[in-house]
Amino acid sequence: MSQKKVFVVEHLDPELGPWSGLEYKTIAQESRAAGCDFILSSVPASLLASDELRDVGADAKMASVEDYFAARKDRICLLDPQASQELSPADASNFDVFLFGGILGDDPPRDRTSELRKKGFNGRRLGPKQMTTDTAVRVTRLVVLEQQKLDDISYVDFPELKLGEHESTEMPFRYVVDGSGKPIMPDGMIDLIKADADKGFDQLDFVDETEGLENMTVK
């Protein structure tokens, strides 16, 4: 019997912002439905017992991934946009743990993947376009569990979201689409964006949570 797959996101921010909270909750729900585990590693002690994190439903740990999975390092796959090899269905046999680098809450955001890359994990790429964390986990799950090739997955790049009668915004990410061709996003994400649509995106509480949000503009 094959080893249960585990999806791990390194979270180093002392807080859990609304954008990350929605993404993590979605990852936890979809992982559970697929029979997989979802772990948040490197979670600060101040956040570990918070109501916000408890609502996410993830298995949160203070330990870093290199400590928690020290004995299984060769079975860890770092999803890295700079990797030379793309993720393929065959990697389901090569890896049990799939690691995603979260974004530190700095301004401008710093790429956690660059720090994990130095740890020597085996790397795989998910294609040329930037994805949100929940999308990256979703794509990885489709490849390793459902044995779909990256090029066979249906995507939409930089979708435009209607925020009101006269307002819209272009999301600077690639998304998997549902059966009707709409981008799959966490429940509540569009409402989160709409709630502050009258602000500039550099003023939003969640803009530093995910790399690329600084490129969003309301039209």
Side-chain angles (χ1 to χ4, degrees):
M1 181 180 293
S2 61
Q3 181 79 28
K4 177 189 284 191
K5 302 306 181 187
V6 183
F7 301 106
V8 181
V9 174
E10 288 268 286
H11 181 89
L12 297 183
D13 199 298
E15 299 178 351
L16 179 65
W19 182 288
S20 297
L22 291 178
E23 288 195 331
Y24 293 167
K25 189 171 185 177
T26 296
I27 295 169
Q29 291 171 341
E30 293 184 354
S31 296
R32 191 160 47 246
C36 302
D37 291 334
F38 172 46
I39 294 174
L40 283 176
S41 59
S42 297
V43 176
S46 58
L47 180 60
L48 204 57
S50 68
D51 291 338
E52 293 86 356
L53 188 59
R54 192 177 299 111
D55 185 57
V56 165
D59 182 7
K61 302 181 182 297
M62 289 180 61
S64 65
V65 66
E66 53 263 41
D67 294 331
Y68 188 71
F69 288 110
R72 299 166 63 184
K73 186 174 181 178
D74 63 326
R75 302 291 295 177
I76 297 175
C77 174
L78 173 64
L79 282 304
D80 182 358
Q82 294 188 25
S84 59
Q85 186 174 342
E86 293 199 336
L87 187 72
S88 73
D91 285 318
S93 299
N94 299 326
F95 305 109
D96 305 317
V97 180
F98 296 87
L99 174 61
F100 304 82
I103 301 300
L104 294 173
D106 299 332
D107 186 13
R110 287 194 291 126
D111 180 9
R112 173 61 174 160
T113 305
S114 65
E115 299 181 25
L116 292 172
R117 191 178 300 126
K118 300 173 185 176
K119 305 292 184 180
F121 296 111
N122 293 299
R124 293 291 188 272
R125 199 169 78 117
L126 292 176
K129 304 292 185 181
Q130 184 177 354
M131 301 177 183
T132 59
T133 305
D134 64 297
T135 300
V137 175
R138 185 174 299 113
V139 169
T140 300
R141 193 176 62 249
L142 289 172
V143 173
V144 299
L145 292 187
E146 300 188 19
Q147 294 289 286
Q148 295 187 37
K149 296 180 180 179
L150 284 174
D151 291 343
D152 291 340
I153 298 172
S154 297
Y155 306 103
V156 61
D157 295 336
F158 317 131
E160 186 170 296
L161 301 183
K162 193 79 171 175
L163 301 180
E165 186 177 355
H166 303 294
E167 288 183 324
S168 64
T169 185
E170 183 181 272
M171 303 296 290
F173 306 110
R174 164 172 283 186
Y175 292 89
V176 176
V177 298
D178 61 18
S180 62
K182 295 181 179 179
I184 300 175
M185 296 183 180
D187 290 341
M189 183 61 74
I190 294 178
D191 290 337
L192 176 62
I193 296 171
K194 284 182 177 180
D196 286 319
D198 56 338
K199 298 180 182 179
F201 273 96
D202 59 346
Q203 296 176 295
L204 298 184
D205 292 338
F206 57 81
V207 76
D208 289 341
E209 293 181 53
T210 300
E211 189 174 21
L213 287 180
E214 70 275 10
N215 297 322
M216 293 171 62
T217 56
V218 176
K219 301 176 183 179

